[in-house]
Amino acid sequence: MSWLIEVDRRSCMGAGLCNGSLPDVFRLVSGKAEPVESRIEPDEDVLDAADYCPYRAITITDQTTGEALAASD
């Protein structure tokens, strides 16, 4: 099982909460967040980071089921 992480760079304003809490999962490039790897093993901390994103720019999808576990607005 793996999850797909996507960051909507149009919505991201570079607050850095995701990168600050999970620098091994998210990085800032040109002032915007992006995942270090687009596919990861399931990790509840990544879901928390998506929930805490003030711009709701992070989407997490279960690759097996296609279910959106966290979705940008």
Side-chain angles (χ1 to χ4, degrees):
M1 177 195 288
S2 65
W3 290 354
L4 175 67
I5 304 175
E6 298 174 287
V7 176
D8 181 346
R9 290 183 56 85
R10 292 172 295 163
S11 297
C12 177
M13 294 296 151
L17 295 175
C18 60
N19 170 257
S21 63
L22 296 170
D24 56 322
V25 178
F26 297 97
R27 62 182 167 215
L28 293 179
V29 175
S30 300
K32 305 280 184 157
E34 67 178 33
V36 172
E37 298 289 333
S38 61
R39 287 179 175 75
I40 64 163
E41 292 300 310
D43 183 339
E44 292 297 317
D45 291 336
V46 175
L47 291 178
D48 289 342
D51 287 341
Y52 293 133
C53 176
Y55 302 102
R56 311 299 288 168
I58 301 170
T59 300
I60 312 289
T61 307
D62 183 316
Q63 287 293 103
T64 304
T65 66
E67 176 186 3
L69 304 172
S72 57
D73 292 336

